[in-house]
Amino acid sequence: MMPRLGKKYKDIEIEVTSKPNAEYQNDDYFALDLPVAPAIMVGQEIVVKGANVSQGKVEKDICRILGIAEPEAEKKGLLDRFFGI
């Protein structure tokens, strides 16, 4: 998800950190006062932590926090609305 957003918003620096779960479950990590993984932060604001999130929500939050125009809402098809996708 983040690499696609990085291509779309070229002026925004996106840093992805991926580690084994064990590295997020130790005292050294908790001492950093960072959110529980999986998490997405924009600047110092935590957008989501400990849960999955849609790309659309992340993109809207990034735009809102950075003060740029939010993307237009995606139109959902019948199956998307039916299954709540």
Side-chain angles (χ1 to χ4, degrees):
M1 168 188 332
M2 299 313 288
R4 287 191 301 268
L5 290 175
K7 288 179 184 176
K8 184 173 182 180
Y9 299 101
K10 295 179 194 244
D11 296 336
I12 298 172
E13 181 181 332
I14 295 177
E15 180 181 334
V16 177
T17 304
S18 179
K19 300 178 183 180
N21 282 342
E23 290 191 36
Y24 294 111
Q25 303 295 327
N26 63 48
D27 292 336
D28 292 336
Y29 182 80
F30 291 118
L32 297 173
D33 199 30
L34 293 171
V36 176
I40 297 175
M41 294 179 68
V42 178
Q44 296 300 313
E45 186 172 329
I46 299 168
V47 175
V48 66
K49 64 180 178 179
N52 291 328
V53 65
S54 71
Q55 179 174 329
K57 179 185 177 347
V58 171
E59 188 172 2
K60 283 181 185 178
D61 288 342
I62 289 171
C63 292
R64 178 183 51 80
I65 292 166
L66 297 177
I68 57 179
E70 292 185 14
E72 292 184 27
E74 255 183 54
K75 292 185 179 183
K76 291 187 173 188
L78 180 63
L79 291 176
D80 293 338
R81 288 185 291 214
F82 182 74
F83 289 109
I85 299 174

Coordinates of all heavy atoms in Angstrom, one line a residue:
M1 N 0.8 -1.2 0.0 CA 0.0 0.0 0.0 C 0.9 1.3 0.0 O 0.7 2.2 -0.8 CB -0.9 0.0 1.2 CG -1.6 1.3 1.5 SD -2.5 1.4 3.1 CE -3.0 -0.1 3.5
M2 N 1.9 1.3 0.9 CA 2.6 2.5 1.0 C 3.5 2.8 -0.2 O 3.6 4.0 -0.6 CB 3.5 2.5 2.2 CG 2.7 2.4 3.5 SD 1.3 3.5 3.7 CE 2.1 5.0 3.9
P3 N 4.1 1.8 -0.9 CA 4.8 2.1 -2.1 C 3.9 2.8 -3.2 O 4.3 3.7 -3.9 CB 5.4 0.8 -2.6 CG 5.5 0.0 -1.3 CD 4.3 0.4 -0.5
R4 N 2.7 2.3 -3.3 CA 1.7 2.9 -4.3 C 1.5 4.4 -3.9 O 1.4 5.2 -4.8 CB 0.4 2.1 -4.3 CG 0.6 0.8 -5.0 CD -0.8 0.2 -5.3 NE -1.6 0.0 -4.1 CZ -1.6 -1.1 -3.4 NH1 -0.9 -2.1 -3.7 NH2 -2.4 -1.2 -2.3
L5 N 1.3 4.7 -2.7 CA 1.1 6.0 -2.3 C 2.3 6.9 -2.5 O 2.2 8.1 -2.8 CB 0.6 6.1 -0.8 CG -0.8 5.6 -0.5 CD1 -1.1 5.6 1.0 CD2 -1.8 6.3 -1.3
G6 N 3.5 6.3 -2.3 CA 4.7 7.0 -2.5 C 4.9 7.4 -4.0 O 5.4 8.5 -4.3
K7 N 4.4 6.6 -4.9 CA 4.5 6.9 -6.3 C 3.5 8.0 -6.6 O 3.7 8.9 -7.5 CB 4.2 5.7 -7.2 CG 5.3 4.7 -7.2 CD 5.0 3.5 -8.0 CE 6.1 2.5 -7.9 NZ 5.8 1.2 -8.6
K8 N 2.3 8.0 -6.0 CA 1.3 9.0 -6.3 C 1.6 10.3 -5.7 O 1.4 11.3 -6.3 CB -0.1 8.5 -5.7 CG -1.2 9.3 -6.0 CD -2.5 8.7 -5.5 CE -3.7 9.6 -5.8 NZ -5.0 8.9 -5.4
Y9 N 2.2 10.4 -4.5 CA 2.5 11.6 -3.9 C 4.1 11.7 -3.8 O 4.7 11.4 -2.8 CB 1.9 11.7 -2.4 CG 0.4 11.6 -2.4 CD1 -0.2 10.5 -2.1 CD2 -0.3 12.8 -2.7 CE1 -1.6 10.4 -2.1 CE2 -1.7 12.7 -2.7 CZ -2.3 11.5 -2.4 OH -3.7 11.5 -2.4
K10 N 4.7 12.1 -4.9 CA 6.1 12.1 -5.0 C 6.9 13.0 -4.1 O 8.0 12.8 -3.7 CB 6.5 12.4 -6.4 CG 6.0 11.3 -7.4 CD 6.4 11.6 -8.8 CE 5.6 10.7 -9.7 NZ 6.1 9.8 -10.5
D11 N 6.2 14.1 -3.6 CA 6.9 15.0 -2.7 C 6.8 14.6 -1.3 O 7.4 15.3 -0.4 CB 6.2 16.4 -2.9 CG 6.4 17.0 -4.3 OD1 7.4 16.6 -5.0 OD2 5.6 17.8 -4.7
I12 N 6.2 13.5 -1.0 CA 6.1 13.0 0.4 C 7.0 11.9 0.6 O 7.0 10.9 -0.1 CB 4.6 12.6 0.7 CG1 3.7 13.8 0.5 CG2 4.5 12.0 2.1 CD1 2.2 13.5 0.6
E13 N 7.8 12.0 1.7 CA 8.7 10.9 2.0 C 8.0 9.8 2.8 O 7.4 10.1 3.8 CB 9.9 11.4 2.8 CG 10.9 10.4 3.2 CD 12.0 11.0 4.1 OE1 12.3 12.2 4.0 OE2 12.6 10.2 4.8
I14 N 8.1 8.6 2.3 CA 7.4 7.5 3.0 C 8.5 6.5 3.4 O 9.3 6.1 2.6 CB 6.4 6.8 2.1 CG1 5.3 7.7 1.8 CG2 5.9 5.5 2.7 CD1 4.2 7.2 0.8
E15 N 8.5 6.2 4.7 CA 9.5 5.3 5.3 C 8.7 4.0 5.8 O 7.8 4.2 6.6 CB 10.2 5.9 6.4 CG 11.3 5.0 7.1 CD 12.0 5.7 8.2 OE1 12.1 6.9 8.2 OE2 12.4 5.0 9.1
V16 N 9.1 2.9 5.3 CA 8.5 1.6 5.7 C 9.5 0.9 6.6 O 10.6 0.6 6.2 CB 8.1 0.8 4.5 CG1 7.5 -0.5 4.9 CG2 7.1 1.6 3.6
T17 N 9.0 0.5 7.7 CA 9.9 -0.3 8.6 C 9.2 -1.7 8.8 O 8.0 -1.7 9.3 CB 10.0 0.4 10.0 OG1 10.6 1.7 9.8 CG2 10.9 -0.4 10.9
S18 N 9.9 -2.7 8.5 CA 9.3 -4.0 8.7 C 10.3 -4.9 9.4 O 11.5 -5.0 9.1 CB 9.0 -4.6 7.3 OG 8.5 -5.9 7.4
K19 N 9.8 -5.5 10.5 CA 10.7 -6.4 11.4 C 9.8 -7.6 11.8 O 8.6 -7.5 11.8 CB 11.1 -5.6 12.6 CG 11.9 -4.4 12.4 CD 12.2 -3.7 13.7 CE 13.0 -2.4 13.4 NZ 13.3 -1.7 14.7
P20 N 10.5 -8.6 12.2 CA 9.7 -9.8 12.8 C 9.0 -9.3 14.0 O 9.4 -8.4 14.8 CB 10.8 -10.8 13.2 CG 12.0 -10.3 12.4 CD 11.9 -8.9 12.2
N21 N 7.8 -10.0 14.3 CA 7.0 -9.6 15.4 C 7.7 -9.6 16.7 O 7.4 -8.8 17.6 CB 5.8 -10.5 15.5 CG 4.7 -10.1 14.5 OD1 4.7 -9.0 13.9 ND2 3.8 -11.0 14.2
A22 N 8.7 -10.5 16.9 CA 9.4 -10.6 18.1 C 10.1 -9.3 18.5 O 10.3 -9.0 19.7 CB 10.4 -11.8 18.1
E23 N 10.6 -8.6 17.5 CA 11.3 -7.3 17.7 C 10.4 -6.2 18.2 O 10.8 -5.3 18.8 CB 12.0 -6.9 16.5 CG 13.2 -7.8 16.2 CD 14.1 -7.2 15.1 OE1 14.2 -5.9 15.0 OE2 14.6 -8.0 14.3
Y24 N 9.1 -6.4 18.0 CA 8.1 -5.4 18.5 C 7.6 -5.8 19.9 O 6.8 -5.0 20.4 CB 6.9 -5.3 17.5 CG 7.2 -4.7 16.2 CD1 7.2 -5.6 15.0 CD2 7.6 -3.4 16.0 CE1 7.5 -5.0 13.8 CE2 7.9 -2.9 14.8 CZ 7.8 -3.7 13.6 OH 8.1 -3.2 12.4
Q25 N 8.0 -6.9 20.4 CA 7.4 -7.4 21.6 C 8.5 -7.4 22.7 O 8.5 -8.3 23.6 CB 6.9 -8.8 21.5 CG 5.8 -8.9 20.4 CD 4.5 -8.1 20.8 OE1 4.2 -8.0 22.0 NE2 3.8 -7.6 19.8
N26 N 9.4 -6.5 22.7 CA 10.4 -6.5 23.8 C 10.5 -5.1 24.5 O 9.9 -4.1 24.1 CB 11.8 -6.8 23.2 CG 12.3 -5.8 22.2 OD1 12.2 -4.6 22.4 ND2 12.8 -6.3 21.1
D27 N 11.2 -5.1 25.6 CA 11.2 -3.9 26.4 C 11.8 -2.7 25.7 O 11.4 -1.5 25.9 CB 12.0 -4.1 27.7 CG 11.2 -5.1 28.6 OD1 10.0 -5.2 28.5 OD2 11.9 -5.8 29.5
D28 N 12.9 -2.9 24.9 CA 13.5 -1.9 24.1 C 12.5 -1.1 23.2 O 12.6 0.1 23.1 CB 14.7 -2.4 23.3 CG 15.8 -2.9 24.2 OD1 15.9 -2.4 25.4 OD2 16.6 -3.7 23.8
Y29 N 11.7 -1.9 22.5 CA 10.7 -1.3 21.6 C 9.7 -0.5 22.4 O 9.4 0.6 22.0 CB 10.0 -2.4 20.8 CG 9.0 -1.8 19.8 CD1 9.5 -1.2 18.6 CD2 7.7 -1.7 20.1 CE1 8.6 -0.6 17.7 CE2 6.8 -1.1 19.2 CZ 7.2 -0.6 18.0 OH 6.4 0.0 17.2
F30 N 9.2 -1.0 23.5 CA 8.2 -0.3 24.3 C 8.8 1.0 24.9 O 8.1 2.0 25.1 CB 7.6 -1.2 25.4 CG 6.7 -2.3 24.9 CD1 7.1 -3.6 25.1 CD2 5.6 -2.0 24.2 CE1 6.3 -4.7 24.6 CE2 4.8 -3.0 23.6 CZ 5.1 -4.4 23.9
A31 N 10.1 1.0 25.2 CA 10.7 2.2 25.7 C 10.7 3.3 24.7 O 10.8 4.5 25.1 CB 12.1 1.9 26.1
L32 N 10.6 3.0 23.4 CA 10.6 4.0 22.4 C 9.2 4.8 22.3 O 9.1 5.8 21.6 CB 10.9 3.4 21.0 CG 12.2 2.8 20.8 CD1 12.3 2.1 19.5 CD2 13.3 3.9 20.9
D33 N 8.2 4.2 23.0 CA 6.9 4.8 23.0 C 6.3 4.9 21.6 O 5.6 5.9 21.3 CB 6.9 6.2 23.7 CG 5.5 6.6 24.2 OD1 4.7 5.7 24.5 OD2 5.2 7.8 24.2
L34 N 6.5 3.9 20.8 CA 5.9 3.8 19.5 C 4.7 2.9 19.5 O 4.5 2.1 20.5 CB 6.9 3.3 18.5 CG 8.1 4.2 18.2 CD1 9.2 3.5 17.4 CD2 7.7 5.5 17.5
P35 N 3.8 3.0 18.6 CA 2.6 2.2 18.6 C 2.8 0.7 18.3 O 3.9 0.4 17.8 CB 1.7 2.8 17.4 CG 2.7 3.4 16.5 CD 3.8 3.9 17.4
V36 N 1.9 -0.1 18.8 CA 2.0 -1.5 18.6 C 1.8 -1.8 17.1 O 0.9 -1.2 16.4 CB 0.9 -2.2 19.4 CG1 0.8 -3.7 19.1 CG2 1.0 -2.0 20.9
A37 N 2.6 -2.7 16.5 CA 2.5 -3.0 15.1 C 1.3 -3.9 14.9 O 1.0 -4.7 15.7 CB 3.8 -3.7 14.7
P38 N 0.7 -3.9 13.7 CA 1.0 -3.0 12.6 C 0.4 -1.6 12.9 O -0.6 -1.5 13.6 CB 0.2 -3.6 11.4 CG -0.9 -4.4 12.1 CD -0.4 -4.8 13.4
A39 N 1.1 -0.6 12.4 CA 0.7 0.8 12.7 C 1.2 1.6 11.5 O 2.1 1.3 10.8 CB 1.4 1.3 14.0
I40 N 0.5 2.8 11.4 CA 0.8 3.8 10.4 C 0.8 5.1 11.1 O -0.1 5.5 11.8 CB -0.1 3.8 9.2 CG1 -0.1 2.4 8.5 CG2 0.2 4.9 8.3 CD1 -1.1 2.3 7.4
M41 N 2.0 5.8 11.0 CA 2.1 7.1 11.6 C 2.3 8.1 10.5 O 3.0 7.9 9.5 CB 3.3 7.2 12.6 CG 3.1 6.4 13.8 SD 4.5 6.4 14.9 CE 4.4 8.1 15.5
V42 N 1.7 9.3 10.6 CA 2.0 10.4 9.7 C 2.5 11.5 10.6 O 1.8 12.1 11.4 CB 0.7 10.9 8.9 CG1 1.0 12.1 8.1 CG2 0.1 9.7 8.1
G43 N 3.8 11.9 10.4 CA 4.5 12.8 11.3 C 4.5 12.2 12.6 O 4.9 11.0 12.8
Q44 N 3.9 12.9 13.6 CA 3.9 12.3 15.0 C 2.5 11.8 15.3 O 2.3 11.3 16.4 CB 4.3 13.4 16.0 CG 5.7 13.9 15.9 CD 6.7 12.8 16.1 OE1 6.6 12.0 17.0 NE2 7.7 12.7 15.2
E45 N 1.6 11.8 14.4 CA 0.2 11.3 14.6 C 0.1 9.9 14.2 O 0.4 9.5 13.1 CB -0.8 12.2 13.8 CG -2.2 11.8 14.2 CD -3.2 12.8 13.6 OE1 -2.9 14.0 13.4 OE2 -4.3 12.3 13.3
I46 N -0.5 9.1 15.1 CA -0.8 7.7 14.8 C -2.1 7.6 14.1 O -3.2 8.0 14.6 CB -0.8 6.8 16.1 CG1 0.5 6.9 16.8 CG2 -1.2 5.4 15.8 CD1 0.5 6.4 18.2
V47 N -2.1 7.1 12.8 CA -3.3 7.0 12.0 C -4.1 5.7 12.4 O -5.3 5.7 12.6 CB -3.0 7.0 10.5 CG1 -4.2 6.7 9.7 CG2 -2.3 8.3 10.1
V48 N -3.3 4.6 12.6 CA -3.9 3.4 13.0 C -2.9 2.5 13.7 O -1.7 2.6 13.3 CB -4.5 2.6 11.8 CG1 -3.5 2.2 10.8 CG2 -5.4 1.4 12.2
K49 N -3.3 1.7 14.6 CA -2.3 0.9 15.3 C -3.0 -0.4 15.7 O -4.2 -0.5 16.1 CB -1.7 1.5 16.5 CG -2.7 1.8 17.6 CD -2.0 2.4 18.8 CE -3.0 2.8 19.9 NZ -2.3 3.3 21.0
G50 N -2.3 -1.5 15.5 CA -2.8 -2.8 15.9 C -4.0 -3.4 15.1 O -4.7 -4.2 15.6
A51 N -4.2 -2.8 13.9 CA -5.3 -3.3 13.1 C -5.0 -3.0 11.6 O -4.1 -2.3 11.3 CB -6.6 -2.5 13.5
N52 N -5.8 -3.7 10.8 CA -5.7 -3.5 9.4 C -6.5 -2.2 9.0 O -7.5 -1.9 9.7 CB -6.2 -4.7 8.6 CG -5.3 -5.9 8.7 OD1 -4.1 -5.7 8.8 ND2 -5.9 -7.0 8.7
V53 N -6.1 -1.6 7.9 CA -6.8 -0.4 7.5 C -6.8 -0.3 6.0 O -5.9 -0.8 5.4 CB -6.1 0.9 8.1 CG1 -4.7 1.1 7.6 CG2 -6.9 2.1 7.9
S54 N -7.8 0.3 5.4 CA -7.9 0.4 4.0 C -6.9 1.5 3.5 O -6.6 2.5 4.2 CB -9.3 0.8 3.5 OG -9.6 2.1 3.9
Q55 N -6.5 1.3 2.2 CA -5.6 2.3 1.6 C -6.3 3.7 1.5 O -5.7 4.7 1.7 CB -5.2 1.9 0.2 CG -4.3 2.9 -0.5 CD -3.8 2.4 -1.8 OE1 -3.5 1.3 -2.0 NE2 -3.5 3.4 -2.7
G56 N -7.6 3.7 1.2 CA -8.4 4.9 1.1 C -8.4 5.7 2.4 O -8.2 6.9 2.4
K57 N -8.5 5.1 3.6 CA -8.5 5.8 4.8 C -7.1 6.3 5.1 O -7.0 7.5 5.6 CB -8.9 4.8 6.0 CG -8.9 5.5 7.3 CD -9.2 4.6 8.5 CE -9.1 5.3 9.8 NZ -8.5 6.5 10.0
V58 N -6.1 5.5 4.9 CA -4.7 6.0 5.1 C -4.5 7.2 4.2 O -3.9 8.3 4.7 CB -3.7 4.9 4.8 CG1 -2.3 5.5 4.8 CG2 -3.9 3.8 5.8
E59 N -4.9 7.2 2.9 CA -4.6 8.3 2.0 C -5.4 9.5 2.5 O -4.8 10.6 2.5 CB -5.1 7.9 0.6 CG -4.7 8.9 -0.4 CD -4.9 8.3 -1.9 OE1 -5.5 7.2 -2.0 OE2 -4.6 9.1 -2.8
K60 N -6.6 9.4 2.9 CA -7.4 10.6 3.4 C -6.7 11.2 4.6 O -6.6 12.4 4.7 CB -8.8 10.1 3.7 CG -9.7 10.0 2.5 CD -11.1 9.6 3.0 CE -12.0 9.3 1.8 NZ -13.3 8.9 2.2
D61 N -6.3 10.3 5.6 CA -5.6 10.8 6.8 C -4.3 11.5 6.5 O -4.0 12.6 7.0 CB -5.4 9.7 7.8 CG -6.7 9.2 8.4 OD1 -7.7 9.9 8.4 OD2 -6.7 8.1 8.9
I62 N -3.5 11.0 5.5 CA -2.3 11.6 5.1 C -2.5 13.0 4.6 O -1.9 14.0 5.0 CB -1.5 10.7 4.1 CG1 -0.9 9.5 4.8 CG2 -0.4 11.5 3.4 CD1 -0.3 8.5 3.8
C63 N -3.5 13.1 3.7 CA -3.8 14.4 3.0 C -4.4 15.3 4.1 O -4.0 16.5 4.1 CB -4.9 14.2 1.9 SG -4.2 13.3 0.5
R64 N -5.2 14.9 5.0 CA -5.8 15.8 6.0 C -4.6 16.3 6.9 O -4.6 17.5 7.2 CB -6.8 15.0 6.9 CG -7.4 15.8 8.0 CD -8.3 15.0 8.9 NE -7.8 13.7 9.3 CZ -6.9 13.6 10.4 NH1 -6.5 14.6 11.1 NH2 -6.5 12.4 10.7
I65 N -3.8 15.4 7.4 CA -2.7 15.8 8.3 C -1.7 16.8 7.6 O -1.2 17.8 8.2 CB -2.0 14.6 8.8 CG1 -2.9 13.8 9.8 CG2 -0.7 15.0 9.6 CD1 -2.5 12.4 10.1
L66 N -1.4 16.5 6.3 CA -0.5 17.4 5.6 C -1.1 18.6 5.0 O -0.4 19.5 4.4 CB 0.2 16.6 4.5 CG 1.1 15.4 5.0 CD1 1.7 14.6 3.9 CD2 2.2 15.9 6.0
G67 N -2.4 18.7 5.1 CA -3.1 19.9 4.6 C -3.2 20.0 3.0 O -3.2 21.1 2.5
I68 N -3.3 18.8 2.4 CA -3.4 18.8 0.9 C -4.8 18.2 0.6 O -5.5 17.7 1.4 CB -2.3 18.0 0.2 CG1 -2.3 16.6 0.7 CG2 -1.0 18.7 0.4 CD1 -1.2 15.7 0.1
A69 N -5.2 18.5 -0.6 CA -6.6 18.0 -1.1 C -6.7 16.5 -0.9 O -5.9 15.8 -1.4 CB -6.8 18.5 -2.5
E70 N -7.8 16.1 -0.3 CA -8.1 14.7 -0.2 C -8.6 14.1 -1.5 O -9.2 14.8 -2.3 CB -9.2 14.5 0.8 CG -8.8 14.8 2.3 CD -9.8 14.5 3.3 OE1 -10.8 13.7 2.9 OE2 -9.7 14.9 4.4
P71 N -8.3 12.8 -1.8 CA -8.7 12.2 -3.0 C -10.2 12.1 -3.0 O -10.9 12.0 -2.0 CB -8.0 10.8 -3.0 CG -7.8 10.6 -1.5 CD -7.6 11.9 -0.9
E72 N -10.7 12.0 -4.3 CA -12.2 11.8 -4.4 C -12.5 10.4 -4.0 O -11.8 9.5 -4.2 CB -12.6 12.0 -5.9 CG -12.5 13.5 -6.3 CD -13.0 13.7 -7.7 OE1 -13.8 12.9 -8.2 OE2 -12.5 14.6 -8.4
A73 N -13.7 10.2 -3.4 CA -14.2 8.9 -3.0 C -14.3 8.0 -4.1 O -14.8 8.4 -5.2 CB -15.5 9.1 -2.2
E74 N -13.9 6.7 -3.9 CA -14.0 5.7 -4.9 C -15.4 5.3 -5.0 O -16.1 5.1 -4.0 CB -13.1 4.5 -4.6 CG -11.9 4.4 -5.3 CD -11.2 3.1 -5.0 OE1 -11.7 2.0 -5.0 OE2 -10.0 3.2 -4.6
K75 N -15.9 5.1 -6.2 CA -17.3 4.6 -6.4 C -17.2 3.1 -6.2 O -16.4 2.4 -6.8 CB -17.9 4.9 -7.7 CG -18.1 6.4 -7.9 CD -18.8 6.7 -9.2 CE -19.0 8.2 -9.3 NZ -19.7 8.6 -10.5
K76 N -18.1 2.6 -5.4 CA -18.2 1.1 -5.1 C -19.2 0.5 -6.0 O -20.3 1.0 -6.3 CB -18.5 0.9 -3.7 CG -17.4 1.3 -2.7 CD -17.7 0.8 -1.3 CE -16.6 1.1 -0.4 NZ -16.8 0.5 0.9
G77 N -18.8 -0.7 -6.4 CA -19.8 -1.5 -7.2 C -20.8 -2.3 -6.3 O -20.7 -2.2 -5.1
L78 N -21.7 -3.0 -6.9 CA -22.7 -3.7 -6.2 C -22.1 -4.7 -5.2 O -22.5 -4.7 -4.0 CB -23.7 -4.3 -7.1 CG -24.8 -5.1 -6.5 CD1 -25.7 -4.2 -5.7 CD2 -25.6 -5.8 -7.6
L79 N -21.2 -5.5 -5.7 CA -20.6 -6.5 -4.8 C -19.8 -5.9 -3.6 O -19.9 -6.4 -2.5 CB -19.7 -7.5 -5.6 CG -20.4 -8.4 -6.6 CD1 -19.4 -9.2 -7.3 CD2 -21.4 -9.3 -5.8
D80 N -19.1 -4.8 -3.9 CA -18.4 -4.1 -2.8 C -19.4 -3.6 -1.7 O -19.1 -3.8 -0.6 CB -17.6 -2.9 -3.4 CG -16.5 -3.3 -4.3 OD1 -16.1 -4.5 -4.2 OD2 -16.1 -2.5 -5.1
R81 N -20.5 -3.0 -2.2 CA -21.4 -2.5 -1.2 C -22.1 -3.7 -0.4 O -22.3 -3.6 0.8 CB -22.5 -1.7 -1.9 CG -21.9 -0.3 -2.3 CD -23.0 0.5 -2.9 NE -23.5 -0.1 -4.1 CZ -23.9 0.6 -5.2 NH1 -24.0 1.9 -5.1 NH2 -24.2 0.0 -6.3
F82 N -22.4 -4.8 -1.1 CA -23.0 -5.9 -0.5 C -22.2 -6.6 0.5 O -22.6 -6.9 1.6 CB -23.4 -6.9 -1.6 CG -24.2 -8.1 -1.1 CD1 -25.5 -8.0 -0.6 CD2 -23.6 -9.3 -0.9 CE1 -26.2 -9.1 -0.1 CE2 -24.2 -10.4 -0.4 CZ -25.5 -10.3 0.0
F83 N -20.9 -6.8 0.2 CA -20.0 -7.5 1.1 C -19.2 -6.5 2.0 O -18.4 -6.9 2.8 CB -18.9 -8.3 0.3 CG -19.6 -9.5 -0.3 CD1 -19.7 -9.6 -1.7 CD2 -20.0 -10.6 0.5 CE1 -20.3 -10.7 -2.3 CE2 -20.6 -11.7 -0.1 CZ -20.7 -11.7 -1.5
G84 N -19.5 -5.2 1.9 CA -18.9 -4.2 2.8 C -17.4 -4.0 2.6 O -16.7 -3.7 3.5
I85 N -17.0 -4.2 1.3 CA -15.5 -4.1 1.0 C -15.2 -2.7 0.8 O -15.8 -1.9 0.3 CB -15.2 -4.9 -0.3 CG1 -15.5 -6.4 -0.1 CG2 -13.8 -4.7 -0.7 CD1 -15.4 -7.2 -1.3

